[in-house]
Amino acid sequence: KQEVTQIPAALSVPEGENLVLNCSFTDSAIYNLQWFRQDPGKGLTSLLLIQSSQREQTSGRLNASLDKSSGRSTLYIAASQPGDSATYLCAVRGSGNTGFQKLVFGTGTRLLVSP
Amino acid sequence: EAQVTQNPRYLITVTGKKLTVTCSQNMNHEYMSWYRQDPGLGLRQIYYSMNVEVTDKGDVPEGYKVSRKEKRNFPLILESPSPNQTSLYFCASSSWGQGFTEAFFGQGTRLTVV
């Protein structure tokens, strides 16, 4: 059974810092991995999607990497801003006959960026 | 604009009163799914649908029903809601015809059952 862990659970940084959020998963047979942000009381906004054959994806100040063999992904946020404050969720879609039907989510990292 | 729309956004109801949460997507996605989010438990899948008239149970299907009569709509039905179904619900959609693509989520429905 796939399990997804995100460390740290919470992170507080001053504005301008570069930071890394971590995601680990127990079963390396994945189809893709997706990073989301969730603002309080709001839905999930997709940030980056990495297919299993890819090593990284970039969008603006965000860079996500994937190391399937070690079961790890990182989300790198450059030059953090107060508007980046949110909960960041990592989700894995499995491969094979029984894994692709759902995303398995971590419990998230709550990020606070102070001005 | 590509989007998944859920209604209502907030709902307070009483135990046993049937309700439906609607979900609609405008991206012609084959795949749709419902999740619930609870503190400490994260998001868990309730039901999913690979295409019209094709639905199946997720990890926590008890107390819920779904239907997929049209490609764009995937309503979640609670026939007899109970307090343990108080939660934040999300609908999601993806394309999967050429392999699974990015999942899009709705804004969520916060349901309280008293």
Side-chain angles (χ1 to χ4, degrees):
Chain A
K1 177 186 171 188
Q2 178 74 271
E3 292 181 2
V4 180
T5 303
Q6 291 187 247
I7 295 173
L11 183 61
S12 183
V13 301
E15 182 177 6
E17 269 203 14
N18 302 324
L19 57 99
V20 174
L21 307 182
N22 296 294
C23 171
S24 62
F25 46 95
T26 55
D27 186 349
S28 62
I30 66 168
Y31 189 92
N32 58 35
L33 182 148
Q34 197 166 352
W35 283 93
F36 297 88
R37 71 174 275 167
Q38 183 176 23
D39 295 281
K42 300 284 181 64
L44 277 68
T45 301
S46 178
L47 298 173
L48 289 163
L49 172 72
I50 310 179
Q51 300 291 356
S52 62
S53 58
Q54 297 175 318
R55 296 283 293 184
E56 66 178 320
Q57 282 286 341
T58 298
S59 176
R61 293 182 295 109
L62 305 179
N63 175 277
S65 68
L66 174 64
D67 184 343
K68 221 172 57 161
S69 60
S70 67
R72 293 173 189 268
S73 176
T74 61
L75 179 67
Y76 175 83
I77 303 177
S80 58
Q81 303 171 356
D84 294 330
S85 299
T87 295
Y88 290 79
L89 295 166
C90 165
V92 169
R93 187 179 298 279
S95 61
N97 290 333
T98 58
F100 64 90
Q101 302 94 327
K102 66 180 179 185
L103 289 169
V104 179
F105 283 84
T107 49
T109 294
R110 192 167 63 250
L111 173 66
L112 176 63
V113 182
S114 306
Chain B
E1 181 190 353
Q3 59 185 9
V4 178
T5 304
Q6 295 178 227
N7 280 296
R9 292 288 313 281
Y10 303 92
L11 180 60
I12 301 174
T13 190
V14 296
T15 298
K17 186 177 180 182
K18 180 179 178 179
L19 66 91
T20 299
V21 183
T22 65
C23 174
S24 181
Q25 50 94 4
N26 63 0
M27 296 165 279
N28 201 38
H29 285 165
E30 300 88 354
Y31 172 91
M32 298 185 74
S33 183
W34 279 101
Y35 292 82
R36 60 178 288 175
Q37 185 178 34
D38 301 289
L41 297 176
L43 283 103
R44 296 174 293 167
Q45 190 185 55
I46 303 170
Y47 268 95
Y48 67 94
S49 170
M50 299 300 290
N51 215 323
V52 176
E53 301 291 3
V54 182
T55 63
D56 208 345
K57 297 176 181 178
D59 293 323
V60 288
E62 294 77 19
Y64 305 95
K65 283 177 57 177
V66 293
S67 68
R68 188 91 182 274
K69 293 184 171 59
E70 306 165 278
K71 199 171 188 179
R72 64 183 292 124
N73 296 323
F74 190 45
L76 180 69
I77 303 157
L78 285 72
E79 295 266 0
S80 183
S82 63
N84 64 12
Q85 293 178 297
T86 293
S87 188
L88 180 58
Y89 291 86
F90 289 103
C91 180
S93 74
S94 301
S95 175
W96 77 276
Q98 302 289 330
F100 271 100
T101 61
E102 181 181 16
F104 290 84
F105 279 73
Q107 289 295 92
T109 296
R110 185 166 293 281
L111 172 65
T112 301
V113 183
V114 298

